[in-house]
Amino acid sequence: MKFCNQVAEEQFRIAITDPKLWWPHGYGDQPLYQVEVSLLSEDGKVLDSWKRRIGLRTITVNTDQDGKLLRDAVWANHNCIRVWGGGYYPEDFFFDLCDELGLLVWQDFMYACASYELDDEFERNIIAETIENVRRIRHHACLALWCGNNEMETQTLDGIWLTTAKQKADYTKIYEYIIPKICKTEDPATFYWPSSPSSGGSYDNPWDEARGDAHYWDVWHGEKPFTDYRKY
């Protein structure tokens, strides 16, 4: 296709009849068109040109809130979901739906990917937040376990956040004393796990694949095939 325009400020539309649409991999073919635009002088001399390959497609992004997410999990044959520590404590209706759908909930406390130092005010905050949410959620049949945090045992141990000796000690106080002590008092029937991944706490090789739970990142970050999960 070639198109000439002698007036740079003027805009034109080009209608393509019966276009061959470009599709993402797995949904169809990827036909491409060669487009060339030339700027000509009055005597027909080429002053400038632009040439590109383009694909004809329409992409839209749906940002509507997904009201079916839990049902989608059930349809996909999940029976347990995790509320990640870097998010927030869901509202009551979330747990009501999980009760109705038979979805077990692994519930993190809201700490993830960081190191914290304790002082009196922060400790009071932790205690109040933990008691409030444990009392609010503990009666739900769907509640499978409480988990202290996401990836903080491993990151504190490995010094990812330039962890100080105090932060390392305070980690143990928060997730292996303060929070589990509250859970034992307020919800003794529900299992408590200190971190994820973890082999049970105390910085006892939390990356161990043979104990506790593990986070395997080589498929996502390492770009290994999905089938690599079958090796672990």
Side-chain angles (χ1 to χ4, degrees), residues 46-143:
V46 177
L47 301 177
D48 195 7
S49 64
W50 180 92
K51 183 186 295 185
R52 296 289 188 276
R53 284 198 312 167
I54 66 169
L56 302 177
R57 86 290 185 273
T58 298
I59 295 178
T60 59
V61 177
N62 184 354
T63 59
D64 294 339
Q65 185 172 355
D66 187 354
K68 303 193 295 94
L69 188 58
L70 294 176
R71 291 184 176 86
D72 288 345
V74 172
W75 293 336
N77 292 317
H78 290 277
N79 62 9
C80 182
I81 60 172
R82 180 185 177 204
V83 178
W84 177 59
Y88 64 95
Y89 298 100
E91 298 180 48
D92 293 340
F93 73 85
F94 172 89
F95 298 98
D96 289 337
L97 282 173
C98 290
D99 285 342
E100 295 167 10
L101 295 170
L103 276 175
L104 294 169
V105 177
W106 169 310
Q107 177 65 56
D108 282 8
F109 290 99
M110 293 300 110
Y111 307 92
C113 308
S115 296
Y116 299 95
E117 288 193 11
L118 271 177
D119 57 25
D120 291 342
E121 183 178 3
F122 187 42
E123 182 173 350
R124 288 194 296 270
N125 183 286
I126 290 173
I127 293 172
E129 178 180 299
T130 303
I131 291 175
E132 178 181 338
N133 283 284
V134 170
R135 288 179 176 176
R136 180 174 67 90
I137 300 169
R138 63 187 176 185
H139 68 280
H140 286 279
C142 64
L143 179 62

Side-chain angles (χ1 to χ4, degrees), residues 11-232:
Q11 295 183 356
F12 293 85
R13 283 182 172 274
I14 302 175
I16 301 177
T17 58
D18 193 23
K20 294 181 179 179
L21 298 181
W22 181 97
W23 292 94
H25 176 68
Y27 287 83
D29 297 328
Q30 297 79 41
L32 299 172
Y33 288 86
Q34 184 76 26
V35 177
E36 182 177 354
V37 179
S38 298
L39 177 65
L40 306 180
S41 64
E42 292 184 354
D43 59 0
K45 183 179 179 180
V46 177
L47 301 177
D48 195 7
S49 64
W50 180 92
K51 183 186 295 185
R52 296 289 188 276
R53 284 198 312 167
I54 66 169
L56 302 177
R57 86 290 185 273
T58 298
I59 295 178
T60 59
V61 177
N62 184 354
T63 59
D64 294 339
Q65 185 172 355
D66 187 354
K68 303 193 295 94
L69 188 58
L70 294 176
R71 291 184 176 86
D72 288 345
V74 172
W75 293 336
N77 292 317
H78 290 277
N79 62 9
C80 182
I81 60 172
R82 180 185 177 204
V83 178
W84 177 59
Y88 64 95
Y89 298 100
E91 298 180 48
D92 293 340
F93 73 85
F94 172 89
F95 298 98
D96 289 337
L97 282 173
C98 290
D99 285 342
E100 295 167 10
L101 295 170
L103 276 175
L104 294 169
V105 177
W106 169 310
Q107 177 65 56
D108 282 8
F109 290 99
M110 293 300 110
Y111 307 92
C113 308
S115 296
Y116 299 95
E117 288 193 11
L118 271 177
D119 57 25
D120 291 342
E121 183 178 3
F122 187 42
E123 182 173 350
R124 288 194 296 270
N125 183 286
I126 290 173
I127 293 172
E129 178 180 299
T130 303
I131 291 175
E132 178 181 338
N133 283 284
V134 170
R135 288 179 176 176
R136 180 174 67 90
I137 300 169
R138 63 187 176 185
H139 68 280
H140 286 279
C142 64
L143 179 62
L145 63 86
W146 298 103
C147 181
N149 63 77
N150 174 73
E151 293 187 345
M152 288 174 56
E153 183 180 1
T154 53
Q155 294 188 7
T156 302
L157 177 63
D158 297 341
I160 300 298
W161 305 106
L162 301 177
T163 310
T164 66
K166 184 178 186 308
Q167 287 172 342
K168 191 172 181 180
D170 286 349
Y171 171 90
T172 302
K173 293 177 184 176
I174 296 170
Y175 304 105
E176 298 185 19
Y177 179 73
I178 296 174
I179 293 179
K181 185 178 180 181
I182 295 171
C183 289
K184 187 175 181 179
T185 300
E186 299 291 339
D187 188 15
T190 303
F191 183 78
Y192 174 81
W193 191 241
S195 183
S196 182
S198 180
S199 296
S202 302
Y203 298 117
D204 180 17
N205 190 11
W207 291 114
D208 192 342
E209 296 174 3
R211 295 182 295 156
D213 70 313
H215 290 193
Y216 181 62
W217 290 107
D218 284 0
V219 171
W220 184 358
H221 288 304
E223 298 184 350
K224 290 185 178 180
F226 194 81
T227 51
D228 204 61
Y229 283 122
R230 296 173 182 168
K231 300 176 182 178
Y232 298 89

